[in-house]
Amino acid sequence: QVQLVESGGGLVEAGGSLRLSCAASDSSIGIPLMGWYRQAPGNQRELVATLTSGHRPEYADSVKGRFTISRLNSQNTVYLQMNRLKPEDTATYYCNAIFLSRSYWGKGTLVTVSS
């Protein structure tokens, strides 16, 4: 079992920045893929960014150039630096980890961007 705990959400004005963090409960295991997804009210959950343990990132087109994903493999921690936030970025952001072919999710952290 892998438990994920997110932090760093909050309320920010459009154009501002936030940094999300997600830590896995076990820092001794190697997690091949960690990432972030988001879900706005009435919408399906969508990919924001993922990063392999080899530091190969993938971004949704809507966040390219504004968001940066990074991770600290030794602590199984993944970060999402969000810059130039827009009201349409408002959503609950979920951390995800793929380990031994199973997908694990955090409980989510709310990001609200005011116009």
Side-chain angles (χ1 to χ4, degrees):
Q1 282 280 12
V2 177
Q3 294 181 324
L4 303 171
V5 179
E6 304 105 333
S7 60
L11 174 64
V12 64
E13 292 184 349
S17 298
L18 281 174
R19 188 189 194 213
L20 305 182
S21 300
C22 170
S25 54
D26 190 341
S27 62
S28 68
I29 59 176
I31 300 179
L33 186 67
M34 297 185 77
W36 293 93
Y37 290 71
R38 67 186 181 187
Q39 186 168 17
N43 290 357
Q44 290 187 334
R45 192 171 297 188
E46 63 178 7
L47 178 145
V48 176
T50 60
L51 186 63
T52 67
S53 57
H55 299 283
R56 297 176 65 180
E58 177 182 346
Y59 293 98
D61 288 342
S62 59
V63 306
K64 283 181 181 176
R66 299 188 298 121
F67 291 10
T68 302
I69 188 170
S70 60
R71 63 184 287 179
L72 192 59
N73 287 338
S74 61
Q75 297 181 10
N76 280 334
T77 300
V78 64
Y79 305 96
L80 186 68
Q81 178 66 43
M82 305 185 293
N83 297 329
R84 292 185 282 134
L85 282 159
K86 304 176 181 180
E88 51 263 43
D89 295 317
T90 295
T92 298
Y93 284 69
Y94 296 90
C95 180
N96 175 260
I98 305 296
F99 178 66
L100 296 180
S101 300
R102 291 188 64 182
S103 182
Y104 296 90
W105 295 93
K107 293 182 178 181
T109 184
L110 179 63
V111 172
T112 303
V113 184
S114 62
S115 57

